[in-house]
Amino acid sequence: MHQIINAAYCIHYDDYDFLLDVVRSVREASTGVELAIYTDKPDFMAKQALQKARLADVPLTFHGPFVDCEAASGPDSEERRHFLDCWRRAFDVYQEFGARSIVLHTHHMQNIPEADKDTLRGYATEAIQAVANMAVERKINLTVENVGVRTKSGVLFDQDQYLALFEQLPAEVGSLIDIGHAFINHWDVPHVLRTLGTRIHSFHLHNNNGSADSHRPMFEPGNYYTAEEMCELLLLTNRTAPNAEWILEYAPGEHISKELIMGDLRTLAALNCK
């Protein structure tokens, strides 16, 4: 059975009253929250730390630092040392909160020159391996997410390169498939799910128009996948990665309401039983 999670991204991360209200109101399934780690925002992290007692009985995942550090940084560079330090601190937070998983982006940069991709991909792979080894040593459930937007020249790992990455990582390290990112980059999502299978530990669930990373609600009309296609895809995850986390990762905006989030969580709960 999938653990169902709502990402705090939907309300700019820090409206803990809203997040807890949703968690307590959905009775159809156990639901949790994905929190964020920003190692460059000490005030944000201090406020979040004050929520530990309130969140003690809530299933938690973390989105690891990515805005303030870059995996595709050169070996022995100050940028690489900063990247690894950010992740050490992120693992400390993970353990303090007793989280279930934490996700790492393969990279953050956009507008990547084609001529530099092989070198940068090698750098990123080395950095991801270093974080993965730390995670295994500390018994942390690390997942690695497919990121990058083709329309912004931001794809460093294409579909085949992303799949191949897991042949180089420790077996304990999982994949997080961001469905919306896969849509934008026109991946064969069913093939990815069948190839990785239970190596997929988590999903980020949202929708878009096939070209912009807008993080729209999964079942909203007029997007790349219809509601019916999205349900079919989720049912496929039941067969290929039945224990993976389902994480709603919606962008904030006027469309976000308790009713919307609860409705989609309840739809997930119903699909989780099929």
Side-chain angles (χ1 to χ4, degrees), residues 35-274:
L35 300 173
I37 294 176
Y38 286 104
T39 48
D40 64 336
K41 296 181 179 178
D43 291 346
F44 172 87
M45 296 305 297
K47 180 180 179 182
Q48 184 168 266
L50 296 175
Q51 308 302 314
K52 273 187 284 190
R54 297 179 72 196
L55 295 167
D57 63 340
V58 175
L60 295 177
T61 66
F62 273 102
H63 200 305
F66 67 97
V67 173
D68 51 323
C69 60
E70 175 58 68
S73 49
D76 300 321
S77 67
E78 184 57 38
E79 194 176 18
R80 172 69 66 84
R81 285 188 285 274
H82 176 66
F83 171 81
L84 295 175
D85 179 61
C86 287
W87 274 91
R88 289 186 193 96
R89 287 185 279 155
F91 287 163
D92 290 342
V93 174
Y94 173 108
Q95 292 181 318
E96 288 167 9
F97 275 82
R100 295 171 48 93
S101 67
I102 183 168
V103 62
L104 164 66
H105 280 193
T106 56
H107 64 289
H108 181 57
M109 62 180 65
Q110 301 289 342
N111 299 312
I112 306 169
E114 196 66 34
D116 296 341
K117 282 189 175 181
D118 286 346
T119 298
L120 293 170
R121 192 181 309 113
Y123 290 168
T125 300
E126 289 177 5
I128 294 166
Q129 287 173 325
V131 173
N133 290 336
M134 283 195 288
V136 171
E137 183 178 344
R138 296 179 67 166
K139 295 181 168 54
I140 284 170
N141 179 19
L142 177 71
T143 62
V144 181
E145 179 179 354
N146 58 304
V147 295
V149 178
R150 61 180 174 81
T151 53
K152 294 184 177 181
S153 301
V155 177
L156 187 57
F157 290 81
D158 65 20
Q159 176 179 303
D160 290 341
Q161 291 158 347
Y162 177 80
L163 293 175
L165 176 63
F166 291 91
E167 298 173 9
Q168 304 177 63
L169 297 177
E172 297 93 332
V173 174
S175 162
L176 183 149
I177 297 298
D178 186 298
I179 297 295
H181 297 165
F183 291 169
I184 291 169
N185 296 321
H186 296 173
W187 284 15
D188 182 345
V189 182
H191 170 72
V192 171
L193 301 190
R194 294 188 180 102
T195 300
L196 289 175
T198 56
R199 192 73 188 267
I200 302 173
H201 293 185
S202 306
F203 292 91
H204 277 164
L205 303 175
H206 52 100
N207 214 332
N208 55 60
N209 64 4
S211 60
D213 189 21
S214 53
H215 285 253
R216 299 301 299 181
M218 292 179 69
F219 307 111
E220 183 180 70
N223 282 308
Y224 189 74
Y225 260 41
T226 65
E228 293 76 15
E229 289 171 326
M230 191 68 80
C231 288
E232 296 258 342
L233 188 61
L234 291 169
L235 290 175
L236 177 58
T237 75
N238 287 353
R239 300 192 293 275
T240 55
N243 297 315
E245 297 161 337
W246 277 347
I247 305 170
L248 290 185
E249 196 183 46
Y250 295 174
E254 294 182 359
H255 62 293
I256 294 296
S257 65
K258 179 181 176 182
E259 291 71 27
L260 170 72
I261 299 296
M262 286 181 59
D264 286 2
L265 290 172
R266 285 170 173 154
T267 298
L268 291 181
L271 291 167
N272 201 17
C273 297
K274 294 185 178 180

